[in-house]
Amino acid sequence: GAVVSQHPSRVICKSGTSVKIECRSLDFQATTMFWYRQFPKQSLMLMATSNEGSKATYEQGVEKDKFLINHASLTLSTLTVTSAHPEDSSFYICSASWADSNQPQHFGDGTRLSIL
Amino acid sequence: KQEVTQIPAALSVPEGENLVLNCSFTDSAIYNLQWFRQDPGKGLTSLLLIQSSQREQTSGRLNASLDKSSGRSTLYIAASQPGDSATYLCAVRGNQFYFGTGTSLTVIP
């Protein structure tokens, strides 16, 4: 089946640090990747949708200058949390899919980000 | 805007019981519905995908149904096992993916 690898799995860093999270589709070419944020005991909140070779589409309320998304190839998308602060601490999950709306999403294992 | 709700929010059953998880959505204009399992601190594992034209899908002890016109889906788990303990999420795909609030399942040995 389709495998999505997300790294790192856990990050602990000081306030003001920028953190990059990678999302890779290992055995298929993902035309579309999604970035989600999940707060404790809550469901996933879509942050942005990224299509290979174009700018990401951000959901309302998500700061694009704060959460930089790059989708340079069909197998890699990155999310950079710039100048992270404690309120950015959360669980970030990526998923990959094809542009065809009938296709499923395949998820990475998530990244636990803790800002001290 | 699409809203996806899952009932119950939490469920605890003894091992061996059959159980049903419910998912409802407000906008029936969807491409598909997907059921996921999430273990604590982990990502999501896809369980079943039902296309909008389908009524149900089966995989092992899992059976998912879809009634698009009424905005409902159910996930049936037969002969539950302690290893089934996890949070179960449903998601519908319209213009984007919309996730439900999840059902936290505990299967007691």
Side-chain angles (χ1 to χ4, degrees):
Chain A
V3 178
V4 175
S5 174
Q6 186 172 341
H7 292 282
S9 59
R10 184 170 180 87
V11 180
I12 302 173
C13 57
K14 294 181 179 180
S15 183
T17 305
S18 291
V19 178
K20 180 184 282 189
I21 302 170
E22 292 189 349
C23 181
R24 294 180 184 272
S25 56
L26 298 184
D27 53 359
F28 69 102
Q29 293 184 324
T31 53
T32 306
M33 288 188 175
F34 305 87
W35 288 96
Y36 297 87
R37 183 173 181 175
Q38 187 177 33
F39 293 101
K41 297 187 178 181
Q42 294 189 26
S43 192
L44 281 70
M45 181 191 77
L46 180 66
M47 298 175 65
T49 302
S50 77
N51 293 300
E52 184 265 340
S54 61
K55 290 184 178 180
T57 302
Y58 289 81
E59 294 302 303
Q60 190 173 8
V62 178
E63 300 176 57
K64 60 181 180 181
D65 295 330
K66 175 74 172 178
F67 300 99
L68 300 178
I69 292 173
N70 183 277
H71 192 165
S73 76
L74 286 171
T75 59
L76 174 64
S77 176
T78 61
L79 167 66
T80 301
V81 184
T82 61
S83 187
H85 292 285
E87 59 266 28
D88 298 323
S89 298
S90 189
F91 191 56
Y92 294 87
I93 309 177
C94 71
S95 73
S97 184
W98 293 266
D100 182 348
S101 300
N102 291 325
Q103 296 300 319
Q105 292 189 83
H106 301 281
F107 282 80
D109 283 338
T111 298
R112 173 71 60 191
L113 177 62
S114 300
I115 307 298
L116 305 176
Chain B
K1 181 184 176 184
Q2 177 77 269
E3 292 184 5
V4 184
T5 305
Q6 290 184 245
I7 295 173
L11 181 63
S12 183
V13 300
E15 181 177 2
E17 270 202 11
N18 303 325
L19 58 100
V20 176
L21 307 180
N22 297 291
C23 173
S24 61
F25 46 96
T26 56
D27 186 349
S28 62
I30 63 171
Y31 293 106
N32 56 54
L33 183 145
Q34 200 167 355
W35 281 94
F36 297 89
R37 147 181 195 144
Q38 184 176 29
D39 292 288
K42 299 292 185 181
L44 276 66
T45 301
S46 179
L47 299 173
L48 290 164
L49 170 72
I50 311 177
Q51 301 295 348
S52 62
S53 59
Q54 297 174 327
R55 298 284 293 184
E56 66 176 340
Q57 284 287 323
T58 299
S59 175
R61 294 184 293 110
L62 305 179
N63 176 277
S65 68
L66 174 64
D67 185 341
K68 200 174 72 165
S69 61
S70 66
R72 296 178 188 275
S73 175
T74 61
L75 178 66
Y76 174 83
I77 302 177
S80 59
Q81 302 171 359
D84 295 331
S85 298
T87 296
Y88 290 81
L89 294 162
C90 68
V92 297
R93 184 165 190 174
N95 294 326
Q96 61 171 273
F97 289 97
Y98 297 89
F99 278 85
T101 47
T103 294
S104 177
L105 172 65
T106 302
V107 180
I108 304 167

